[in-house]
Amino acid sequence: MLWCIKVWCILVLSFLLPHSYAHMDFFTSIGHMTDLINTEKDLVTSLKDYIKAEENKLEQIKKWAEKLDQLTDTATKDPEGFLGHPVNAFKLMKRLNTEWGELENLVLKDMSDGFISNMTIQRQYFPNDEDQTGAAKALLRLQDTYNLDTDTLSRGNLPGVKHKSFLTAEDCFELGKIAYTEADYYHTELWMEQALKQLDDGEVSTADKVSILDYLSYAVYQQGDLDKAMMLTKRLLELDPEHQRANGNLKYFEYIMSKEKEANKSTTETDSQTDKETKAKKKEPNKDYLPERQKYEMLCRGEGLKMTPRRQKKLFCRYYDGNQNPKYILAPVKQEDEWDKPRIVRFLEIISDEEIETVKELAKPRLSRATVHDPETGKLTTAHYRVSKSAWLSGYESPVVSRINRRIQDLTGLDVSTAEELQVANYGVGGQYEPHFDFARKDEPDAFKELGTGNRIATWLFYMSDVSAGGATVFPEVGASVWPKKGTAVFWYNLFPSGEGDYSTRHAACPVLVGNKWVSNKWIHERGQEFRRPCTLSELE
C-alpha cells in the first residue's frame, strides 16, 4: 500500500514538471540546468527510499534467520524429544508449509520498483550526448579564452567560485576522448596528459593508463612530435606488451623515423631547426575560423589596450534627465561614459531586482537555443558561436515589460514602437556570443526585410545578474571591455546619422567562466526615428 502511494505521488509529480524542458541543449542555459538539480535531488530521495526498503527487507530476513537458527539448533540436538511435544510438531508443519513460503516471497520481492518507475519518468528530462559534448567543449573553450592550464581547471581553482569542485582522472579522460572525436588533438594531448598525471600521483580511478596512453600517443603523433609519440608507445607496451595497435604503431613510427633520418642527411642544420619550429607551432588550438580571436580573448581576460589619459579625461559620469524628459527632470538617472568612439554609455540602477525577477520568470518557460541570422538565406538558425538560450517578451504580456520598454524610449529619445520585442538571454556553461554586428551590412539586404522597420539603429542591453568571472561585453575593433553589473544597462548606436553602419560597434559576449549571466536587450530600428534622430548635413556622419 505504501509503495502504491509513493508511485502515485511520483506520477503526479511528473505531470507537474515543466514538460517544455524535455529537449536538448541544456548546457546552453544555466537557468534550465538549475531544473536538473531538482531532478537529481528527487532521484536521490527516491534512491534513499529504495535503500531504506532494502534495509528493512534484510532486517526482517535477518530476524527470521536468527529465530530459526536458535530453534533448529535446539531441535537437532534431540529431534524425537523435540517433536514429542505436539505444539512443536504443529509449528514445524506450519513453518514448512506456510512461513517458509512467505519468506521466499519476501526474498524474491523486488524493492526497486518505485525507484525504477521514478527513473523512467525522469529520464525524459535528462541531458543527452549532445549536452555532455557541448559542456565538454565549453570547458575547452574556457581553457583557451582565459589561458587556464589543465591542472588549474582540474583542481577547480577558478576565481569567484562558491562551490569548489575538481575533475577526476576519469573526467579528464572523458574530456580528452571528446576532443579526440572532434579531431582536436591539441586538447586531446592536454587532457590525456592530465589524466595520466593524476593516475601517476596515485589517484584511484576506473580509467586505465593503457587506454590513456593509446589516445595520447596518437594525438601527439598527429601533431608531428614523433619522438614523444614513440616514447609514449613504448611506455604503453611496458604495461601491455601484447597490445596489438601499439605494436603496429611502434613499427610504423620506427619506419617513419628511419626515413626522416635519411632525408635529414641531405638537409642543413638550419632547415632542421626550421622544421622543429614548424612542429612546435602546430601545438596550439585551431583559431583560423576567427581572425580576431587573439584580440577578442585578450579583451575577455581584461588585457585590452588602455585608453590614453587624454581620451579618458573626456569620459564623465552625470545625472541624466533624458534630454529634459518630464519623468526624469526631478528624478534623473545615473549615467556614465564607458567609451568614446563608439560612444557607449551605462545607466546605473536602471532596473530593479523585482523587475529583473519578473522578466526572468516570464522568460524561463520559453527559453530556447538562441539563433542568428544566416546571411545567405536570411533565416534564423543556431550556430556554434552563439551559446545561450533566449526568449522574447512583448509589452502587452506584462505591465513590467511595458514599463521597461517605455523607460528605454524615454531615456534614448527613440521610438520603440518599431523595435523588436525584449529579448531575454541566459548563458550556459562557457556561454558566449562571438564577435558580430547587430546591424545588417550591405551584403545582407534581406536580414530584417520581414520586419519592415529598417535596420537596427541602436542597441540597449540590460545586465540582470552579476557574473563572478568572465562574461564581459567586448568591442574588438576598438579594444573596449564592458563588464556585467546587475541592475545596469549599456546603450550605443549601431548606425551613423547618415544610416551607414558603424563598424566599430562589432562586439561579443565573452564566455562565462564562473557564475550565471542573465541579460535582456532591445534592438531599436530605423523606422520612427526620422525626426527623433535626423540625418546631418555631412555624409561622413
Side-chain angles (χ1 to χ4, degrees), residues 181-337:
T181 58
E182 298 289 320
D184 179 1
Y185 300 115
Y186 169 78
H187 286 109
T188 302
E189 179 182 358
L190 291 180
W191 286 102
M192 290 300 175
E193 283 186 336
Q194 181 63 29
L196 194 61
K197 175 180 178 296
Q198 291 180 202
L199 290 181
D200 287 341
D201 290 342
E203 182 180 323
V204 178
S205 174
T206 55
D208 67 282
K209 292 183 180 181
V210 170
S211 298
I212 292 171
L213 286 165
D214 194 13
Y215 279 100
L216 180 56
S217 60
Y218 185 76
V220 168
Y221 163 70
Q222 284 291 334
Q223 295 178 90
D225 194 341
L226 195 58
D227 291 333
K228 185 176 179 180
M230 279 195 68
M231 181 269 291
L232 292 168
T233 305
K234 288 178 180 178
R235 183 179 174 185
L236 189 162
L237 289 171
E238 288 175 3
L239 299 172
D240 184 2
E242 304 301 319
H243 198 283
Q244 187 174 355
R245 183 165 48 250
N247 278 299
N249 286 345
L250 184 61
K251 292 178 181 178
Y252 178 70
F253 293 158
E254 289 172 344
Y255 170 76
I256 294 295
M257 287 194 77
S258 65
K259 288 290 184 181
E260 284 186 354
K261 285 180 181 179
E262 292 177 7
N264 284 340
K265 291 179 181 178
S266 59
T267 59
T268 63
E269 187 176 338
T270 304
D271 292 335
S272 179
Q273 182 64 29
T274 302
D275 185 52
K276 288 180 180 178
E277 290 174 358
T278 302
K279 289 179 180 179
K281 287 178 182 178
K282 288 182 182 178
K283 292 201 171 187
E284 61 181 17
N286 181 11
K287 299 179 180 180
D288 296 338
Y289 65 95
L290 188 61
E292 61 200 333
R293 166 69 67 181
Q294 187 174 6
K295 193 172 184 181
Y296 157 61
E297 291 182 350
M298 286 179 63
L299 290 171
C300 290
R301 296 192 295 268
E303 300 172 1
L305 297 174
K306 302 300 180 184
M307 190 180 287
T308 62
R310 184 176 180 180
R311 288 174 65 189
Q312 281 183 330
K313 287 180 181 179
K314 296 179 181 180
L315 303 182
F316 295 95
C317 57
R318 64 189 70 81
Y319 282 101
Y320 182 68
D321 62 9
N323 289 327
Q324 297 187 330
N325 186 294
K327 293 181 181 178
Y328 298 102
I329 290 177
L330 295 179
V333 298
K334 297 176 182 178
Q335 186 193 73
E336 61 185 27
D337 297 327

Side-chain angles (χ1 to χ4, degrees), residues 137-172:
K137 288 181 179 179
L139 282 178
L140 304 183
R141 184 163 60 246
L142 291 173
Q143 181 180 11
D144 294 340
T145 303
Y146 296 103
N147 276 348
L148 302 172
D149 60 78
T150 51
D151 196 59
T152 297
L153 201 52
S154 177
R155 294 177 185 275
N157 295 328
L158 302 177
V161 293
K162 291 182 180 179
H163 309 284
K164 188 174 179 180
S165 186
F166 64 91
L167 294 171
T168 63
E170 185 181 5
D171 293 332
C172 297

